[in-house]
Amino acid sequence: MEIKIHASFLPHTDPEASVQFYRDVLGFEVRTDVGYEGMRWITVGPPGQPDTSIVLTPPAVDPGITDDERRTIAEMMAKGTYATVVLQTDDLDALFERLQATDAEVIQEPIDQPYGIRDCAFRDPAGNHVRINQAS
């Protein structure tokens, strides 16, 4: 039996800015864009990997979340501590240069980590932490 990661969820605060970041900056394809009552759920993913997606969602829309929890989520998103995704590329330095040339907020330039990974990090337009590893 094989288990694959099919989709992960990241919140967005501005769907157009998130689409621009994931499609135009990272080169992902938009697979679905679903609207409901003024909100949007946008599924993006890397071309050639149709089984792996990120769903960009409105934050804190779960009806079971309290107002206090919504405020906490909004505060964590503003600090960039709410959600993280880790991507991988075969050319970290080239991707870093491409991202740095945009409005993407750099958290960390490419470095060799003491635990054996070379990586860099950015924030997406919603403040999500986007860490990128060099493929070995």
Side-chain angles (χ1 to χ4, degrees):
M1 176 174 68
E2 181 178 288
I3 298 175
K4 296 180 178 180
I5 296 174
H6 177 65
S8 294
F9 290 73
L10 290 176
H12 69 72
T13 54
D14 179 337
E16 291 305 321
S18 291
V19 166
Q20 183 179 21
F21 179 79
Y22 285 95
R23 182 192 61 205
D24 302 341
V25 176
L26 290 179
F28 285 7
E29 58 190 16
V30 176
R31 297 181 178 152
T32 61
D33 189 341
V34 178
Y36 177 75
E37 295 186 355
M39 298 178 285
R40 288 170 62 189
W41 286 257
I42 305 156
T43 303
V44 298
Q49 298 177 42
D51 295 336
T52 303
S53 299
I54 296 172
V55 182
L56 305 168
T57 67
V61 293
D62 184 327
I65 295 175
T66 67
D67 289 342
D68 284 343
E69 291 168 331
R70 282 188 182 82
R71 274 191 296 278
T72 298
I73 290 170
E75 290 168 2
M76 292 179 71
M77 287 178 66
K79 293 179 180 178
T81 58
Y82 182 68
T84 300
V85 65
V86 180
L87 307 175
Q88 184 180 52
T89 182
D90 59 356
D91 192 343
L92 182 68
D93 293 310
L95 181 55
F96 179 80
E97 292 298 322
R98 192 169 86 205
L99 286 163
Q100 193 175 32
T102 69
D103 292 336
E105 180 186 350
V106 176
I107 299 173
Q108 173 205 299
E109 294 188 3
I111 61 170
D112 294 318
Q113 299 287 358
Y115 42 88
I117 294 173
R118 180 170 173 76
D119 65 0
C120 68
F122 289 84
R123 289 194 207 287
D124 77 3
N128 298 307
H129 186 137
V130 179
R131 182 157 291 279
I132 305 169
N133 293 347
Q134 170 73 47
S136 51

